[in-house]
Short mmCIF file of all heavy atoms in Angstrom, two decimals:
data_model
loop_
_atom_site.label_atom_id
_atom_site.label_comp_id
_atom_site.label_asym_id
_atom_site.label_seq_id
_atom_site.Cartn_x
_atom_site.Cartn_y
_atom_site.Cartn_z
N ALA A 683 21.29 -21.15 -9.27
CA ALA A 683 20.93 -20.02 -8.41
C ALA A 683 19.54 -19.55 -8.81
O ALA A 683 19.14 -19.68 -9.96
CB ALA A 683 21.94 -18.90 -8.53
N GLY A 684 18.82 -18.99 -7.85
CA GLY A 684 17.48 -18.52 -8.17
C GLY A 684 16.91 -17.64 -7.08
O GLY A 684 17.50 -17.46 -6.01
N LEU A 685 15.75 -17.08 -7.39
CA LEU A 685 14.97 -16.30 -6.44
C LEU A 685 13.59 -16.93 -6.34
O LEU A 685 12.95 -17.21 -7.35
CB LEU A 685 14.84 -14.85 -6.90
CG LEU A 685 16.09 -14.01 -6.81
CD1 LEU A 685 15.84 -12.64 -7.43
CD2 LEU A 685 16.54 -13.85 -5.38
N ASP A 686 13.14 -17.14 -5.12
CA ASP A 686 11.83 -17.71 -4.86
C ASP A 686 11.10 -16.73 -3.95
O ASP A 686 11.37 -16.68 -2.75
CB ASP A 686 11.97 -19.09 -4.21
CG ASP A 686 10.65 -19.75 -3.95
OD1 ASP A 686 9.65 -19.37 -4.59
OD2 ASP A 686 10.61 -20.67 -3.11
N VAL A 687 10.23 -15.92 -4.50
CA VAL A 687 9.49 -14.90 -3.77
C VAL A 687 10.47 -13.99 -3.01
O VAL A 687 10.28 -13.72 -1.83
CB VAL A 687 8.44 -15.53 -2.83
CG1 VAL A 687 7.48 -14.46 -2.31
CG2 VAL A 687 7.66 -16.62 -3.51
N GLY A 688 11.53 -13.59 -3.64
CA GLY A 688 12.51 -12.70 -3.04
C GLY A 688 13.55 -13.38 -2.17
O GLY A 688 14.45 -12.73 -1.65
N LEU A 689 13.45 -14.67 -1.96
CA LEU A 689 14.42 -15.42 -1.16
C LEU A 689 15.39 -16.14 -2.08
O LEU A 689 15.01 -16.61 -3.14
CB LEU A 689 13.70 -16.41 -0.24
CG LEU A 689 12.72 -15.80 0.74
CD1 LEU A 689 11.98 -16.88 1.49
CD2 LEU A 689 13.44 -14.87 1.71
N VAL A 690 16.63 -16.25 -1.66
CA VAL A 690 17.69 -16.82 -2.49
C VAL A 690 17.69 -18.34 -2.39
O VAL A 690 17.53 -18.91 -1.31
CB VAL A 690 19.06 -16.27 -2.05
CG1 VAL A 690 20.18 -16.93 -2.82
CG2 VAL A 690 19.10 -14.77 -2.24
N THR A 691 17.89 -18.99 -3.53
CA THR A 691 18.13 -20.43 -3.57
C THR A 691 19.41 -20.65 -4.38
O THR A 691 19.73 -19.88 -5.28
CB THR A 691 16.97 -21.18 -4.25
OG1 THR A 691 16.85 -20.75 -5.60
CG2 THR A 691 15.67 -20.96 -3.52
N MET A 692 20.16 -21.68 -4.02
CA MET A 692 21.36 -22.00 -4.77
C MET A 692 21.67 -23.48 -4.61
O MET A 692 21.21 -24.12 -3.66
CB MET A 692 22.54 -21.13 -4.37
CG MET A 692 23.02 -21.31 -2.95
SD MET A 692 24.34 -20.19 -2.53
CE MET A 692 23.42 -18.73 -2.16
N GLY A 693 22.46 -24.00 -5.54
CA GLY A 693 22.79 -25.41 -5.46
C GLY A 693 23.88 -25.79 -6.42
O GLY A 693 24.34 -24.99 -7.24
N ALA A 694 24.29 -27.04 -6.31
CA ALA A 694 25.33 -27.60 -7.18
C ALA A 694 25.05 -29.08 -7.34
O ALA A 694 24.38 -29.70 -6.51
CB ALA A 694 26.71 -27.39 -6.58
N GLY A 695 25.58 -29.64 -8.41
CA GLY A 695 25.38 -31.06 -8.64
C GLY A 695 26.52 -31.66 -9.45
O GLY A 695 27.21 -30.96 -10.18
#
Side-chain angles (χ1 to χ4, degrees):
L685 288 174
D686 182 21
V687 192
L689 300 174
V690 176
T691 62
M692 64 183 82

